[in-house]
Amino acid sequence: MRSSFAFVRALVALVTLLVLSPVAARAVPVFANGQGVSCETCHTTFPGMTRYGMMVMMSNFQILNEHLQNQALPLAVRLYITSHLANAQNPGDTSVSDLSFLGGGFLGKNFTWYGEQHVIDGGSIGATEQLWVSWNGLLHGLNSLQVGKFHTPFPFMPAHAWTIGDYLLATQTTGQNDFNPNDARWGLAFNGMSNEFMYNFSYLTGTDTIGNAFDYNAADNARTLDANISYGGMSQPWSVGLVAMRGFAPLHDATNTFVASDAFTREGAYFGYQTSRWHLQTMYYHGFDAHPDLGTYDVPLNGATFEVGRDLGWRNHLLVRYDVASSDTLSRQLLFDYAHNVQPNLALIGEVLTGPQQRPQFSLQLAFAGPYQLGKRYLLKRQPTAGAYVEPAGGAGDVAAPSAQSATPAPRGDANAGAKLVASNGCQGCHGAAFQGNIGPKLVGIEHILTPDAIAHAIAQPRAPMPNFGFTAAQIDDIVAYLSGLDGGASGSRPVVTFDPSPPSLHATISIRFAGAIPNDVHAAAVMQMGSMQMAPVTIALAPTSDPHVLRGSVVFSMGGPWTVHITYGGTTMDVPVTVGD
């Protein structure tokens, strides 16, 4: 036992040193740290997913910003400490139920990867949970070909539940057939998203170590074809899904000799509804095993789950779930879970689980994932990028305010292109959702304090803790043009856009203030861009106010995450990036 703990400590120390060493790497964790946003953009209480987080995951992370990920710390750690309180039927215990290292990111423009390695799993030395590579952007859309070890595709993702207890329908097995949707398996999958549809077709084998990956021997592993399709969940809060599986599992005698294959099927229907406050999902699951054990034939499998979750505010979450699963055994359970996120990446979870002839089991869990700090990205050292910004002749020197007598030159770049760069590089994480300042300084009105060259110098040669993004000269010009117009610009020619609340929630009010008279033809629409796919625009109806310079309207964002509001007026288009809280 001591040698096992010594091994674990040594391994943790070694990996920690590797993580902290400033070597160049393209491997990054697929977490908030990489994108410079809060954990809550993708997670309710982790690992539970928001709708935007589900889109990120189902796209194999290809919709994330490659440039940001390639700068970020290459690994993350996840820790669960679980305590089951004793009752009359079960002794109490406390253990490190999971200690894992996670990494993922981009291998060039069209490839992403992800790895999840357990150091401790259920109190014992763990195995590789996931390790896959995805070839993305196929057929000119959000389609990908994924190969490696990944979670069994399913209409909902039991692996991303934040409850301590498992879904019974995802863990139920029959006889010697150990196939269940809760496991990660080696395989090949084609995944895709188009408008409101998500689909997956995969071939799956065993769960063994990497040394036995893709062992298709019928005597060793179950082999399964899996097809999934779902509709909804992007621009509307509900979704429906179907799954169908056909597989063959090995059957062995008492001497472990292969004697036959169990032909089995699994089908399921799913319905989900998720808003910023409520999460409801239910699924019915049916299966059939032709020969699951010696002397056993024609065994049906049935399961169902019904779950309701509620965000109580102040990072508190409540969940109630009823599960039932039946094959060669019958299992039923009712559980109540409560989670409080001390921080977005640190949660305390309590659970009460009970069932027929079962005394209530009380459990507690401490869950941590990191490193993460709101508004701060942990970066690797980077070499200067070829074609990067070159300081103008004479140099900007120390950034300083232009004199009152000197005319401020107009920015040279494209403000709309700058808006996209600011949105995709997570600038709002430090400078505030409305650029009114947070960890970083206020940027609204910066053109009245600094010249365009001084702003460009501050971006190209940043002072800590601001990272160096390695922007080219043209990109910096575009960013300067955008930042210089946040309050209308030095000439007051650009309208000023504000949101209430700020940052906006799913329901927000947008105000557009013009320096002069309101143009005759003003239109606004909100769009979420997901990789190469653009969701349907949300039209914003604008109406005059008592102020002759202001138009105002209500906007309903369909989910939290990064959005862009397109505003057209007098033949001019203006893009406003905004991160919506869910």
Side-chain angles (χ1 to χ4, degrees):
M1 180 64 71
R2 288 184 178 178
S3 61
S4 297
F5 281 113
F7 169 80
V8 171
R9 287 196 298 268
L11 182 60
V12 171
L14 175 61
V15 176
T16 301
L17 287 174
L18 290 174
V19 170
L20 296 179
S21 60
V23 295
R26 295 180 64 82
V28 292
V30 188
F31 294 111
N33 172 52
Q35 296 295 296
V37 298
S38 172
C39 302
E40 294 158 320
T41 302
C42 290
H43 294 282
T44 51
T45 181
F46 75 90
M49 290 287 186
T50 64
R51 286 190 289 151
Y52 176 71
M54 188 66 73
M55 303 303 110
V56 171
M57 182 181 63
M58 295 301 293
S59 70
N60 291 338
F61 312 122
Q62 62 181 294
I63 66 175
L64 299 178
N65 183 281
E66 177 189 3
H67 175 73
L68 288 180
Q69 293 291 66
N70 290 342
Q71 297 175 350
L73 190 68
L75 292 175
V77 65
R78 182 182 63 209
L79 172 67
Y80 293 155
I81 300 175
T82 306
S83 180
H84 300 289
L85 280 64
N87 61 21
Q89 293 176 325
N90 301 291
D93 68 87
T94 299
S95 66
V96 176
S97 53
D98 179 36
L99 174 60
S100 300
F101 288 102
L102 309 96
F106 289 82
L107 299 170
K109 179 181 179 181
N110 295 318
F111 293 88
T112 52
W113 73 274
Y114 181 74
E116 187 173 327
Q117 175 63 50
H118 292 299
V119 179
I120 300 175
D121 182 12
S124 60
I125 301 300
T128 300
E129 176 71 9
Q130 295 193 70
L131 185 63
W132 53 258
V133 175
S134 177
W135 179 19
N136 306 313
L138 305 181
L139 306 178
H140 306 287
L142 288 182
N143 302 297
S144 60
L145 191 64
Q146 183 182 25
V147 61
K149 189 177 186 182
F150 45 85
H151 284 295
T152 303
F154 217 46
F156 76 105
M157 303 296 288
H160 292 274
W162 59 266
T163 58
I164 301 174
D166 290 325
Y167 291 92
L168 291 182
L169 64 76
T171 56
Q172 184 84 353
T173 59
T174 305
Q176 293 189 38
N177 181 4
D178 64 355
F179 179 87
N180 69 71
N182 204 48
D183 286 335
R185 296 179 176 273
W186 297 98
L188 177 70
F190 177 80
N191 310 288
M193 292 166 45
S194 178
N195 296 322
E196 291 291 335
F197 285 97
M198 291 190 293
Y199 40 86
N200 172 280
F201 306 94
S202 56
Y203 181 75
L204 308 169
T205 61
T207 64
D208 211 343
T209 61
I210 191 170
N212 297 316
F214 306 109
D215 183 353
Y216 299 121
N217 191 330
D220 296 332
N221 292 313
R223 296 157 295 143
T224 309
L225 290 173
D226 181 358
N228 286 265
I229 187 168
S230 66
Y231 179 83
M234 297 185 197
S235 62
Q236 66 251 338
W238 56 267
S239 60
V240 293
L242 298 172
V243 58
M245 302 180 191
R246 170 73 171 177
F248 297 88
L251 180 63
H252 300 89
D253 62 18
T255 63
N256 203 32
T257 300
F258 174 72
V259 294
S261 288
D262 168 34
F264 67 92
T265 60
R266 302 287 187 266
E267 302 89 28
Y270 169 81
F271 174 79
Y273 178 85
Q274 186 172 16
T275 67
S276 61
R277 294 297 183 188
W278 290 96
H279 188 192
L280 179 151
Q281 58 182 2
T282 183
M283 183 169 182
Y284 173 71
Y285 194 48
H286 173 74
F288 184 84
D289 284 73
H291 188 18
D293 214 335
L294 298 175
T296 303
Y297 300 89
D298 301 334
V299 178
L301 181 149
N302 292 284
T305 187
F306 183 82
E307 179 179 272
V308 178
R310 168 71 172 171
D311 182 349
L312 302 174
W314 297 93
R315 294 177 175 168
N316 295 297
H317 302 267
L318 180 67
L319 184 145
V320 180
R321 184 171 80 236
Y322 176 74
D323 290 298
V324 59
S326 172
S327 56
D328 51 353
T329 59
L330 173 64
S331 302
R332 287 173 288 174
Q333 69 179 18
L334 176 66
L335 56 81
F336 303 84
D337 281 79
Y338 178 86
H340 174 68
N341 283 72
V342 181
Q343 294 292 331
N345 64 324
L346 178 64
L348 299 173
I349 302 171
E351 179 177 278
V352 181
L353 186 152
T354 189
Q357 290 79 51
Q358 180 180 348
R359 289 182 177 272
Q361 175 76 63
F362 295 86
S363 303
L364 299 171
Q365 187 174 82
L366 173 69
F368 169 81
Y372 168 78
Q373 183 175 330
L374 183 62
K376 181 177 180 181
R377 298 173 64 230
Y378 294 90
L379 305 176
L380 295 169
K381 291 184 178 179
R382 302 179 70 249
Q383 298 298 321
T385 304
Y389 170 82
V390 177
E391 190 173 298
D398 292 333
V399 291
S403 65
Q405 290 77 23
S406 62
T408 302
R412 298 178 290 270
D414 180 342
N416 286 341
K420 293 180 175 64
L421 286 167
V422 165
S424 64
N425 284 277
C427 300
Q428 292 173 315
C430 285
H431 294 281
F435 298 102
Q436 293 288 345
N438 188 1
I439 297 172
K442 176 181 176 180
L443 297 179
V444 173
I446 193 172
E447 76 279 5
H448 303 297
I449 303 172
L450 304 178
T451 65
D453 284 346
I455 301 171
H457 174 79
I459 298 170
Q461 305 293 332
R463 296 178 178 176
M466 179 173 167
N468 188 335
F469 292 99
F471 294 123
T472 65
Q475 289 175 321
I476 290 179
D477 284 345
D478 293 342
I479 294 171
V480 171
Y482 171 69
L483 296 179
S484 298
L486 291 174
D487 70 340
S491 62
S493 59
R494 286 168 59 88
V496 179
V497 180
T498 56
F499 295 90
D500 182 22
S502 180
S505 58
L506 295 181
H507 296 78
T509 299
I510 181 174
S511 298
I512 307 174
R513 174 178 291 276
F514 293 87
I518 297 175
N520 291 328
D521 196 16
V522 182
H523 300 280
V527 174
M528 174 178 273
Q529 185 81 25
M530 304 183 67
S532 59
M533 184 181 77
Q534 180 174 291
M535 293 179 60
V538 177
T539 301
I540 305 172
L542 300 172
T545 66
S546 57
D547 189 324
H549 302 290
V550 176
L551 291 176
R552 187 168 292 132
S554 296
V555 55
V556 178
F557 298 100
S558 58
M559 68 177 73
W563 288 74
T564 299
V565 176
H566 300 298
I567 300 170
T568 58
Y569 61 98
T572 301
T573 300
M574 176 179 175
D575 290 341
V576 181
V578 61
T579 299
V580 178
D582 191 2

